[in-house]
């Protein structure tokens, strides 16, 4: 199994998806969101993004990596966004890298971009007051062991404080 | 005085009155066309929602059809209704 694992159908990007991603990449190159760095690869379908914890937050000085995989019909469908090892200690981030954040699932809108997702994730990190895993981390990660995508999880978004 | 017009060369320009430059879904210019089309204009028209957000018709239809029964505007999340419905 490749590191992509996550049961996502590796279908090529549709013309609309490829076109939009190319535009997003160009826009990113002139105006990247603060605290993020796109790691250049030859793949438009998978972006690896370096995340720098914001100053004056619990994650200051720490560095993480996001893996963003785009489905064939992006942006009609949300990309799959996970933290690569080791994910930040955060009450909404599971130790397998899955992120409990509504815009990545039920609240996705095609008007969102990689850049706006990054900003939401950094804002979620920055407002954290405690470095801890979600209370159901063990159970959740055990259930995902067969390489399930976070997009297949039925998320409950009950806490908008962090 | 009589003027006799021998030749008349008219030039017109057009633009969509969308209050924005680009479609929020495909990010292509409104005065261009969506990635599935070749010719801007009547072949790839704009469509407005009741909330006044505009998109290429082809783009918003793809979104709305994938979101039944209760599609929302990609920009403001209000329930999507075509303007004038």
């Amino acid at each position: 199994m490749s590191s992509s694992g996550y049961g996502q159908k590796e279908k090529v990007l549709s013309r609309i998806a490829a076109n939009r991603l190319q535009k997003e990449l160009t826009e990113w190159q002139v105006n990247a969101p603060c605290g993020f760095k796109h790691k250049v690869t030859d793949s438009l379908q998978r972006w690896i993004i370096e995340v720098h914890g914001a100053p004056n937050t619990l994650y200051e000085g720490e560095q993480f990596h996001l893996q963003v995989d785009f489905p064939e019909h992006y942006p009609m469908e949300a990309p799959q966004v996970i933290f690569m090892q080791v994910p930040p200690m955060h009450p909404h981030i599971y130790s397998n890298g899955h992120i409990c954040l509504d815009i990545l699932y039920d609240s996705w809108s095609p008007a969102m971009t990689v850049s706006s997702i990054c900003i939401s994730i950094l804002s979620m990190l920055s407002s954290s007051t405690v470095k801890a895993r979600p209370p159901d981390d063990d159970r959740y990660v055990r259930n995902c062991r067969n390489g399930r995508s976070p997009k297949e999880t039925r998320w409950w978004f009950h806490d908008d404080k962090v | 005085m009589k003027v006799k017009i021998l030749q008349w060369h008219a030039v017109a320009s057009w633009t969509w009155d969308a209050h924005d430059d680009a479609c929020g879904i495909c990010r292509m210019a409104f005065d261009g066309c969506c990635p599935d089309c070749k010719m801007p204009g009547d072949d790839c028209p704009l469509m407005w929602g009741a909330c006044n957000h505009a998109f290429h018709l082809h783009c918003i239809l793809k979104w709305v059809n994938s979101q039944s029964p209760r599609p929302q505007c990609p920009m403001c999340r209000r329930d999507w209704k075509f303007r004038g419905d």
Side-chain angles (χ1 to χ4, degrees):
Chain A
M1 188 169 73
S2 71
S3 61
S4 67
Y6 296 106
Q8 218 177 1
K9 290 153 246 135
E10 294 269 334
K11 285 218 176 137
V12 287
L13 296 169
S14 67
R15 183 150 36 129
I16 295 186
N19 206 295
R20 213 191 95 155
L21 279 171
Q22 198 60 61
K23 274 192 169 318
E24 284 194 50
L25 194 54
T26 310
E27 168 64 21
W28 179 292
Q29 279 153 356
V30 291
N31 186 22
C34 193
F36 295 89
K37 200 167 163 242
H38 171 256
K39 301 190 80 165
V40 180
T41 62
D42 56 0
S43 167
L44 195 58
Q45 194 156 12
R46 167 173 291 177
W47 292 22
I48 306 293
I49 297 170
E50 213 173 271
V51 187
H52 297 265
N56 304 314
T57 69
L58 291 182
Y59 307 90
E60 174 165 8
E62 291 183 59
Q63 205 185 93
F64 311 99
H65 289 93
L66 286 169
Q67 176 180 293
V68 187
D69 285 291
F70 299 94
E72 180 188 4
H73 294 297
Y74 179 77
M76 300 304 163
E77 278 174 49
Q80 171 190 284
V81 185
I82 56 174
F83 272 106
M84 299 166 80
Q85 293 303 331
V86 178
M89 287 289 262
H90 183 285
H92 291 170
I93 301 172
Y94 290 89
S95 50
N96 62 357
H98 291 197
I99 308 167
C100 179
L101 179 63
D102 61 350
I103 57 157
L104 298 178
Y105 315 106
D106 308 25
S107 302
W108 169 254
S109 144
M112 291 180 198
T113 60
V114 184
S115 197
S116 71
I117 293 172
C118 284
I119 292 166
S120 295
I121 290 176
L122 192 59
S123 142
M124 183 180 112
L125 285 179
S126 299
S127 54
S128 171
T129 55
V130 53
K131 277 190 170 181
R133 290 287 173 220
D136 59 339
D137 189 54
D138 284 351
R139 183 161 47 91
Y140 179 78
V141 173
R142 217 178 315 126
N143 283 333
C144 289
R145 241 190 230 150
N146 54 358
R148 198 171 67 171
S149 164
K151 291 178 74 182
E152 292 164 41
T153 301
R154 289 190 68 135
W155 294 97
W156 277 42
F157 308 104
H158 37 257
D159 171 15
D160 55 7
K161 289 194 290 292
V162 217
Chain B
M1 186 178 77
K2 259 191 178 171
V3 176
K4 195 171 171 194
I5 296 171
L6 297 174
Q7 208 179 25
W8 185 44
H9 184 69
V11 176
S13 73
W14 64 274
T15 179
W16 290 103
D17 190 13
H19 306 292
D20 211 343
D21 295 334
C23 170
I25 296 178
C26 68
R27 304 266 157 183
M28 303 292 279
F30 276 134
D31 291 337
C33 53
C34 82
D36 275 347
C37 290
K38 289 210 163 55
M39 285 289 289
D42 289 341
D43 290 344
C44 187
L46 302 200
M47 191 49 81
W48 280 262
C51 55
N52 270 331
H53 287 115
F55 304 92
H56 289 121
L57 171 69
H58 303 137
C59 296
I60 191 65
L61 278 181
K62 281 199 187 86
W63 172 246
V64 165
N65 291 338
S66 74
Q67 295 297 302
S68 57
R70 282 197 68 179
Q72 293 177 337
C73 172
M75 305 302 274
C76 65
R77 296 188 189 285
R78 271 179 267 189
D79 285 347
W80 177 265
K81 284 190 183 67
F82 290 99
R83 194 166 77 182
D85 258 10

